[in-house]
Amino acid sequence: MKASAREILLIKTGELALKGLNRGTFEAILMKNLRHRLRPIGPCVLRKAQSAIYVEPQSPSFDMDEACERVAKVFGIAAYSRACVVSKEIRAILEAAAEYLEDDLLAAKTFKVEAKRSDKAFPLQSPAICEQAGEYLLERYPHLRVDVHHPELLVMVEIRDFGAYIHARQLPGAGGMPVGSAGRVGLLISGGIDSPVAGYMMAKRGLELLGIHFASPPYTSERAEMKVTSLLEQVASYAGHIELQIVPFTRIQEEIQRTCPEDLFTLIMRRFMMRIATQIGRAEGCGALVTGESVGQVASQTLAALACTDEAAGLPVFRPLIGMDKEEIIAVSRRIETFEISIQPYEDCCTVFTPRHPRTRPKLEKLLEAEAALDAQPLIDEALANVRRVSV
Ligand code: ATP
Ligand code: MG
């Protein structure tokens, strides 16, 4: 590539652009998220204009492959491409296209040029740009043929605010909304397959995640906590920074086991989780709680059981996996690379205290009756006083 041509990342914002009034705020959040995600790679300048964001590396050691990998996981982006930027002069554009895309042009048999002129001050109209670029490339690469219907290589020339951009491969972005643009939610994360996927899905809708994990040492090990941290680290590659609060749950579980009928253990335990998560969520500015439940997956996820769980929550409970099959959930967890971590065999607090015959059609009165035998609030207060915070 010539010294006058530079390589940048050209990012297209998608759904964002539809947000009318809030567009400015949304773009500002996306820019902040992108900066945060790209900072570890090295210095770069971000500029925005016309529903696009330009990432301009400021050092030759800036790793573009790594930058692309990171950008591909940032929500609020419709598409992105590595592009070469040159001055808005047709000669410079033609030469840059031939050189920057040399490998692709040599490897292809057919191609087509597409031009977009958002800067209307540029003297040539799009069809003229396509025509000149097509001719020039045919001359430089005589083995090529133009195929307007099914080209192997699509050469894009975009005349925009800050320069002319040439690229050949636009890749789909992660979609969704920028994390933080829709508020914050408390994610009940267990260490299983489902809850990290649920967190990923809500982050995609622009929600910042606060992780809440219930741990029952010594029944659950430190390794189980490390597993939750690793899962959140992986989710954070999409969701950005996540704070995790670890709630000591042993006393509560032992008290439930001591005083309540065995067939109600799981549900009473889940109701305690909801009460505690509600208090944490309210204190931390969360507008809702999120779980990885899906209808009928286990005894605690029948309609009746879910209703009993909800009754104990003081915030809306979002269950993004509610209508998904396990296979579908696993497919997402493989794609976001949480699956291999989730299947590591460390005990969860629920597995340790699972009753032999859990109720699938619980009655709320029975639960309330059983809970009356417990002195709930001091137990909850004690758990809340001993929460540990971990930054992921
Ligand atoms: P997962 O795969 O997410 O563990 P699961 O199918 O094993 O889900 P359950 O164990 O019944 O289902 O838990 C249902 C949901 O309750 C989980 O998706 C999670 O949101 C929440 N949950 C369960 N255990 C814990 C825990 N120890 N800490 C925080 N949340 C939990
Ligand atoms: Mg679980």
Side-chain angles (χ1 to χ4, degrees), residues 93-144:
I93 294 170
L94 300 183
E95 283 172 11
E99 281 166 34
Y100 179 63
L101 302 177
E102 182 181 11
D103 293 347
D104 298 293
L105 288 161
L106 286 172
K109 288 193 200 64
T110 61
F111 80 112
K112 171 189 173 178
V113 181
E114 237 174 64
K116 240 198 226 148
R117 188 184 60 135
S118 12
D119 174 7
K120 301 297 177 205
F122 189 74
L124 292 173
Q125 291 190 352
S126 302
I129 302 171
C130 292
E131 199 177 304
Q132 292 206 22
E135 270 174 27
Y136 183 82
L137 293 175
L138 280 172
E139 211 172 278
R140 293 267 305 252
Y141 298 92
H143 73 283
L144 282 173

Side-chain angles (χ1 to χ4, degrees), residues 50-360:
Q50 293 174 341
S51 61
I53 292 172
Y54 308 92
V55 179
E56 302 173 358
Q58 300 295 301
S59 135
S61 64
F62 189 88
D63 184 340
M64 286 295 262
D65 291 330
E66 168 88 22
C68 285
E69 263 177 46
R70 285 172 175 253
V71 163
K73 292 180 167 183
V74 174
F75 294 127
I77 290 173
Y80 67 96
S81 24
R82 276 169 93 138
C84 146
V85 54
V86 287
S87 58
K88 290 187 259 188
E89 291 157 309
I90 189 68
R91 195 70 212 164
I93 294 170
L94 300 183
E95 283 172 11
E99 281 166 34
Y100 179 63
L101 302 177
E102 182 181 11
D103 293 347
D104 298 293
L105 288 161
L106 286 172
K109 288 193 200 64
T110 61
F111 80 112
K112 171 189 173 178
V113 181
E114 237 174 64
K116 240 198 226 148
R117 188 184 60 135
S118 12
D119 174 7
K120 301 297 177 205
F122 189 74
L124 292 173
Q125 291 190 352
S126 302
I129 302 171
C130 292
E131 199 177 304
Q132 292 206 22
E135 270 174 27
Y136 183 82
L137 293 175
L138 280 172
E139 211 172 278
R140 293 267 305 252
Y141 298 92
H143 73 283
L144 282 173
R145 234 176 357 95
V146 173
D147 181 342
V148 290
H149 300 296
H150 305 288
E152 268 174 53
L153 185 70
L154 181 64
V155 176
M156 289 290 307
V157 177
E158 303 191 37
I159 317 289
R160 294 174 152 269
D161 311 61
F162 308 123
Y165 299 84
I166 296 140
H167 57 97
R169 218 164 283 112
Q170 181 159 294
L171 298 166
M177 316 280 273
V179 170
S181 65
R184 195 177 197 205
V185 286
L187 169 68
L188 281 83
I189 176 136
S190 62
I193 294 169
D194 305 328
S195 37
V197 172
Y200 160 84
M201 287 173 71
M202 296 321 293
K204 186 168 185 179
R205 294 313 301 159
L207 291 158
E208 186 195 334
L209 304 178
L210 165 73
I212 302 171
H213 175 68
F214 296 88
S216 305
Y219 304 100
T220 58
S221 65
E222 206 171 304
R223 298 297 294 269
E225 272 177 45
M226 282 162 61
K227 182 181 175 189
V228 171
T229 321
S230 313
L231 283 171
L232 283 181
E233 266 167 23
Q234 190 51 34
V235 176
S237 68
Y238 295 88
H241 170 78
I242 301 175
E243 186 191 294
L244 169 64
Q245 299 207 1
I246 302 176
V247 185
F249 208 46
T250 319
R251 265 289 303 284
I252 293 178
Q253 287 191 304
E254 286 174 343
E255 279 302 296
I256 297 173
Q257 200 171 31
R258 198 171 62 79
T259 52
C260 303
E262 186 186 321
D263 59 348
L264 300 178
F265 279 2
T266 313
L267 271 178
I268 294 176
M269 190 181 78
R270 301 200 56 72
R271 285 168 53 82
F272 268 88
M273 285 187 181
M274 287 300 164
R275 291 192 187 102
I276 293 171
T278 298
Q279 289 208 25
I280 293 177
R282 285 200 179 127
E284 299 291 334
C286 296
L289 302 175
V290 175
T291 75
E293 291 160 309
S294 105
V295 169
Q297 201 187 75
V298 287
S300 61
Q301 298 175 23
T302 62
L303 272 195
L306 291 172
C308 289
T309 311
D310 266 4
E311 201 272 340
L315 285 169
V317 182
F318 294 161
R319 299 181 171 92
L321 314 185
I322 199 72
M324 285 169 80
D325 289 349
K326 196 74 186 185
E327 284 311 309
E328 293 171 323
I329 298 168
I330 288 175
V332 182
S333 80
R334 284 189 194 279
R335 184 161 57 75
I336 65 171
E337 293 175 84
T338 52
F339 183 74
E340 295 298 328
I341 310 171
S342 292
I343 58 175
Q344 291 171 11
Y346 302 112
E347 291 287 272
D348 180 75
C349 68
C350 303
T351 357
V352 179
F353 291 88
T354 303
R356 278 157 300 187
H357 304 290
R359 282 252 161 243
T360 52

